[in-house]
Amino acid sequence: MKGFVFHGPGQSAWEEVPDPAVQDPTDAVVRVKDVTICGTDLHILKGDVPEVEPGTVLGHEAVGEIVEVGSDVRSVRPGDEVLVSCITACGRCRFCRQGMYGQCLGGGGWILGHRIHGTQAEYVRVPYADLSVHRLPGGLSGQDAVLFADIYPTAYEVGVLNGAVRPGDTVAVVGAGPIGLAAIRTSQLYTPERIIAVDLADSRLDAAKRLGADVVVSVREDPGQLVADLTDGLGADVVIEAVGVPESFELCTRMVRPGGHVANVGVHGKPATLHLEDLWIKNVTLTTGLVDTSSTPTLLRMAAAGRLPTASMVTHTFPLDSMEEAYDVFGRASETGALKVVLGEPRHDTLAVPAAS
């Protein structure tokens, strides 16, 4: 088969790799139909995630069809259409038994495209399939469903839930990329008074407005002052960091009110300064986290019921074998306007029947 292989910082290629096979009784092999690229993949290509070894197939989000299962798999069978979660869960260790699948001690956690070959390929082996793939609810397309492999549960769990968004809050989301947009959408479930989106790119601020942000502001326009003006000088109740660079993190800590929450979602490749000389007296709660995906079944049901729109987040689609082009477009989002790119099989909406001779 072919897959998108990381060969070291700045080096990658769509090339032939060995076919996956069931190795353990809890494994499933999935034929990939829809796959997407995450900002974390860009961090890997930059060298920000040194644990990823050269030769690894990247990717941790996909929708596909089960083609083979191990003898211990009970929840899915060949032919099932499934979502491949970004997090793998053994279901038995201390953390899994607490629903903290991202911290799995039994060989799970974030392993796809990180510790083992990932989803940006024609096929993928998924360990611990019973807890790590989800059958798709009816009426949800693969292109929509793939957004629930990572960005929606990450934004919801690490941003909205960790940030403790409540009715009447002022929520500021710094970074209006896919994660930030999903945080805006899922924050609305808790009826905040206002949601403020902060970004550099006008196209992403426009998308934030479409998805429910009440106010959008460019980083160039002093968002801290805007937040202060809108809150009578108090600051935001919840600030969600969805970029992963020191400047955005420090901006978040300046915008939060005393007693507020800063929920860091971004993947940081460099140290950020924590200004405790200013924060120690403000009763600020700072959270970090890797998604657990415990919310994925609920979010999938909500999407199938039309409660979480997805179509406006997918801006570019490609055939599966156009991985290098898709990475280029996604990596130059400020120029291309890319939000979420999805790669997949050609879709055959109509059947061409040849005329009788």
Side-chain angles (χ1 to χ4, degrees):
M1 71 168 188
K2 287 193 172 181
F4 189 70
V5 182
F6 172 71
H7 289 293
Q11 303 176 62
S12 56
W14 177 255
E15 61 188 41
E16 288 191 3
V17 292
D19 292 345
V22 168
Q23 297 178 15
D24 297 305
T26 55
D27 288 352
V29 175
V30 177
R31 179 169 66 88
V32 173
K33 292 186 174 182
D34 295 276
V35 67
T36 185
I37 301 170
C38 181
T40 304
D41 297 321
L42 299 182
H43 280 281
I44 292 171
L45 289 181
K46 292 176 183 176
D48 290 344
V49 189
E51 300 85 13
V52 181
E53 296 184 356
T56 301
V57 174
L58 296 186
H60 50 266
E61 309 161 84
V63 167
E65 178 187 349
I66 299 285
V67 295
E68 186 180 3
V69 296
S71 58
D72 287 351
V73 175
R74 298 289 182 266
S75 64
V76 291
R77 59 186 181 182
D80 285 346
E81 296 284 329
V82 297
L83 172 74
V84 179
S85 176
C86 65
I87 297 297
T88 303
C90 77
R92 297 178 178 178
C93 72
R94 175 176 178 176
F95 289 129
C96 282
R97 291 168 75 90
Q98 295 175 317
M100 297 174 60
Y101 305 137
Q103 305 302 322
C104 176
L105 297 171
W110 173 36
I111 58 172
L112 292 172
H114 183 206
R115 306 275 187 188
I116 66 173
H117 291 317
T119 59
Q120 290 170 4
E122 294 173 318
Y123 294 84
V124 60
R125 178 180 74 91
V126 183
Y128 300 119
D130 278 329
L131 283 174
S132 307
V133 301
H134 305 272
R135 281 190 291 184
L136 293 190
L140 192 61
S141 73
Q143 181 173 294
D144 291 338
V146 75
L147 302 183
F148 293 86
D150 184 352
I151 63 166
Y152 262 102
T154 295
Y156 180 59
E157 295 175 17
V158 186
V160 176
L161 295 185
N162 279 2
V165 175
R166 295 177 298 182
D169 277 354
T170 290
V171 178
V173 179
V174 177
I179 292 287
L181 295 174
I184 289 168
R185 189 65 191 90
T186 51
S187 289
Q188 292 174 307
L189 299 173
Y190 293 87
T191 61
E193 179 182 358
R194 64 175 67 88
I195 300 173
I196 303 164
V198 182
D199 204 280
L200 275 169
D202 290 340
S203 61
R204 292 194 164 189
L205 293 175
D206 290 341
K209 193 72 173 176
R210 291 196 304 271
L211 279 169
D214 301 289
V215 181
V216 299
V217 58
S218 171
V219 173
R220 305 180 188 91
E221 299 174 9
D222 195 356
Q225 185 60 54
L226 175 66
V227 169
D229 291 344
L230 291 172
T231 59
D232 295 325
L234 292 178
D237 300 281
V238 181
V239 186
I240 297 173
E241 199 285 337
V243 181
V245 298
E247 295 81 5
S248 61
F249 175 79
E250 292 174 33
L251 173 62
C252 290
T253 61
R254 292 196 300 270
M255 291 197 300
V256 69
R257 70 163 174 84
H261 290 72
V262 175
N264 183 88
V265 186
V267 177
H268 289 264
K270 297 179 181 178
T273 301
L274 180 63
H275 288 283
L276 285 176
E277 74 278 10
D278 297 323
L279 295 173
W280 73 270
I281 201 170
K282 292 184 177 180
N283 292 18
V284 170
T285 299
L286 170 65
T287 57
T288 65
L290 175 66
V291 64
D292 293 313
T293 66
S294 56
S295 67
T296 300
T298 298
L299 294 173
L300 279 172
R301 290 196 302 272
M302 294 180 70
R307 302 294 187 183
L308 290 173
T310 56
S312 59
M313 294 180 66
V314 178
T315 54
H316 296 74
T317 58
F318 301 87
L320 191 60
D321 59 4
S322 296
M323 193 69 69
E324 293 174 354
E325 181 185 358
Y327 261 90
D328 177 63
V329 168
F330 186 61
R332 295 186 297 111
S334 61
E335 303 169 38
T336 64
L339 294 175
K340 201 65 175 169
V341 303
V342 174
L343 302 95
E345 297 180 328
R347 285 167 174 74
H348 303 287
D349 297 325
T350 59
L351 177 65
V353 180
S357 56

